[in-house]
């Protein structure tokens, strides 16, 4: 019998991020505390730009955006906020980006966790920006998924291609 396998990936649905961003834009335009503050959130190339006339308002925009991401099922671990709000002219700006893919070192951390704590006979190999986990037993693969869901990695993971 052939080995069963699944892939561990870190992907973000770009359309869902877009939808969350559009919902945040709508809420910012309707909220009373943002009237007349030039508060906005938008794409700036591959990054998300949040700006307003006060540092606390920029952080409030970030909070609204994070809430919308959670409601759309996107892990906040995939949102990378770049530092503190920066003063630029009369406005504060804050950049964030959406990270995808599992880096080599993060893939090694996951593979080590599988080797150390997972069932015997389970193999994990790095393939680009994802990790392939294989075993003869499907029960072992499910045990690995349960183990990894219980771990708190600093990046989001999903399980795909279960065969």
């Amino acid at each position: 019998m052939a080995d069963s396998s699944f892939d561990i990936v870190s992907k973000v649905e770009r359309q869902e991020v877009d939808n969350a961003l559009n919902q945040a834009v709508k809420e910012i335009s309707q909220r009373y505390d943002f009237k007349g503050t030039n508060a906005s959130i938008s794409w700036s190339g591959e990054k998300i730009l949040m700006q307003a006339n006060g540092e606390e308002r920029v952080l409030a925009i970030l909070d609204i955006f994070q809430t919308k991401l959670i409601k759309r099922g996107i892990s906040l671990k995939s949102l990378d906020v770049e530092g503190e709000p920066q003063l630029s002219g009369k406005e504060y700006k804050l950049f964030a980006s959406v990270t995808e893919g599992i880096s080599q070192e993060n893939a090694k951390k996951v593979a080590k966790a599988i080797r150390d704590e997972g069932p015997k006979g389970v193999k994990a190999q790095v393939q680009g920006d994802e990790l392939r986990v294989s075993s003869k037993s499907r029960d072992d693969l499910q045990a690995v998924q349960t183990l990894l869901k219980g771990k708190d990695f600093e990046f989001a993971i999903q399980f795909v291609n279960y065969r």
Side-chain angles (χ1 to χ4, degrees):
M1 187 174 125
D3 283 3
S4 300
S5 68
F6 68 89
D7 294 335
I8 301 172
V9 297
S10 180
K11 292 196 183 337
V12 176
E13 189 72 40
R14 175 77 177 212
Q15 185 61 49
E16 289 298 321
V17 175
D18 239 5
N19 292 343
L21 188 97
N22 291 335
Q23 288 177 340
V25 167
K26 189 173 184 178
E27 182 172 328
I28 290 166
S29 70
Q30 293 174 346
R31 275 183 41 174
Y32 180 75
D33 55 334
F34 286 114
K35 294 281 188 240
T37 62
N38 294 334
S40 68
I41 180 171
S42 61
W43 285 105
S44 175
E46 286 296 308
K47 297 185 180 194
I48 298 163
L49 169 65
M50 294 161 269
Q51 56 187 19
N53 64 359
E55 187 173 353
E56 63 284 336
R57 287 208 173 92
V58 173
L59 294 173
I61 292 170
L62 175 63
D63 185 51
I64 291 169
F65 183 54
Q66 288 175 332
T67 304
K68 300 301 180 189
L69 286 174
I70 291 169
K71 285 184 180 175
R72 301 211 65 90
I74 298 172
S75 172
L76 291 182
K77 292 178 181 178
S78 60
L79 183 70
D80 183 27
V81 179
E82 299 171 8
E84 295 294 313
Q86 301 294 319
L87 184 61
S88 173
K90 293 183 179 177
E91 298 204 328
Y92 282 88
K93 293 183 178 185
L94 181 63
F95 287 96
S97 56
V98 179
T99 55
E100 287 190 300
I102 300 176
S103 69
Q104 291 289 332
E105 66 183 53
N106 288 339
K108 288 177 183 173
K109 287 180 190 173
V110 174
K112 182 173 176 13
I114 293 170
R115 263 194 323 275
D116 293 348
E117 301 173 38
K120 299 290 179 234
V122 175
K123 295 184 284 285
Q125 63 218 44
V126 178
Q127 296 181 333
D129 62 350
E130 56 186 48
L131 190 69
R132 165 85 32 102
V133 179
S134 58
S135 173
K136 296 216 180 293
S137 165
R138 287 182 172 229
D139 291 340
D140 287 350
L141 292 180
Q142 290 176 337
V144 168
Q145 286 184 352
T146 305
L147 168 79
L148 294 177
K149 285 178 185 172
K151 293 266 184 211
D152 187 30
F153 295 109
E154 64 268 7
F155 52 95
I157 59 172
Q158 295 89 30
F159 306 113
V160 296
N161 296 337
Y162 189 77
R163 19 179 134 79

